[in-house]
Amino acid sequence: MKRAKKKVFTDFMSQRGLKSTKQRDVILDSFLSSDRHLSIEELYLKIRAKHPNIGYATVYRTLKLFAEAGIAREMQFGDGQTRYEHVGEGEHHDHLVCTRCGSIEEFENETIEKLQTEVAASRGFLIERHRLELYGLCGNCRK
Amino acid sequence: MKRAKKKVFTDFMSQRGLKSTKQRDVILDSFLSSDRHLSIEELYLKIRAKHPNIGYATVYRTLKLFAEAGIAREMQFGDGQTRYEHVGEGEHHDHLVCTRCGSIEEFENETIEKLQTEVAASRGFLIERHRLELYGLCGNCRK
DNA sequence: CGTTATTATGACATCCACTTTCAACTGGAG
DNA sequence: CTCCAGTTGAAAGTGGATGTCATAATAACG
Ligand SMILES: [Mn+2]
Ligand SMILES: [Mn+2]
Ligand SMILES: [Zn+2]
Ligand SMILES: [Zn+2]
């Protein structure tokens, strides 16, 4: 699905008249082969190890492009850094965030999603997106 | 319940050996008689209208105290500003945030909360707190 | 009451995570 | 190959949060 996301991005770029560059290729590769939920700084440092000539601003701008293209999602877990995670076509999930070790697990729960829609509907509210994050101690940290 | 919160705060202050000041009185009054979900800046401007001599830093520090005392909760809705809302003893609710007009509605749903606990439990995760926010168009903005 | 140790205040400086600017540099259509 | 729109990276700019510090206010004590 790395292939698939690359195609999505390429299509997005040409459709918008944007150019393919060495930097964007490097950043995309690095992003797709990274842990999920990486901050800009983390990705930048990782890239800089092999490509010292790529600037922070370029990583920053390219991640925004990924988000616009629909292959990345921007998130805030309250640690003061914006993080980007991979997303696939039509995928959605929520998060369990460990307040001790910082690990992030993902989950999906169709029933919760349905109840959200009901709550919203009962107030005439139309949901565009939502965020559900459970903060606490992960299995490891409880031991 | 304005009375009750004032008492909670007073008790907290004396228990910590902190002093009562005119500024803190003014800020507490203003906070308790405000809309919920006010940003520091908003509260500061509101206060400054009647008390031009109260500084931003004091409002900022006092709101932190409210949070520590348990009468306020700090929140982030992704607009880049920290907001504080009133909280009562043992109260909890989640939010519907309008992406057009910025209005914020509150809701509670016991079933959702229960499902969250189940999801967490099934992974050995212990929830300390959570946030659930539904973003979209409020009733008014849909018309 | 004054005295005094302690805490609080507010103007200002600093931090920090982006975000924008801009001159030099491509990518790729023609 | 030419040429221009798009791109890059260093550096400057932003905006909100947080730290600093000299001055002022609180409240306990004698
Ligand atoms: Mn995720
Ligand atoms: Mn609320
Ligand atoms: Zn953990
Ligand atoms: Zn609205």
Side-chain angles (χ1 to χ4, degrees), chain B residues 7 10-11 14 22 34 36 50 53 55 57 65 74 81 97-98 100-101 108 112 118 128:
Chain B
K7 173 141 195 341
T10 316
D11 291 352
S14 64
K22 295 176 186 63
S34 289
R36 307 181 67 98
K50 294 229 169 195
N53 48 323
L65 282 179
E74 203 172 314
Q81 303 218 189
V97 183
C98 181
R100 176 164 312 186
C101 71
E108 291 177 76
I112 292 180
E118 285 175 22
E128 291 167 348

Side-chain angles (χ1 to χ4, degrees), chain B residues 36-37 73 75 77 85-86 93-95 104-106:
Chain B
R36 307 181 67 98
H37 320 113
R73 184 160 64 127
M75 358 203 36
F77 290 112
E85 71 171 351
H86 314 163
H93 61 259
D94 294 300
H95 298 96
I104 300 175
E105 294 177 52
E106 304 178 339

Side-chain angles (χ1 to χ4, degrees), chain A residues 111-112 115, chain B residues 109-116:
Chain A
T111 315
I112 291 180
L115 287 168
Chain B
N109 187 297
E110 204 39 64
T111 314
I112 292 180
E113 308 271 324
K114 198 169 298 172
L115 286 168
Q116 289 175 6

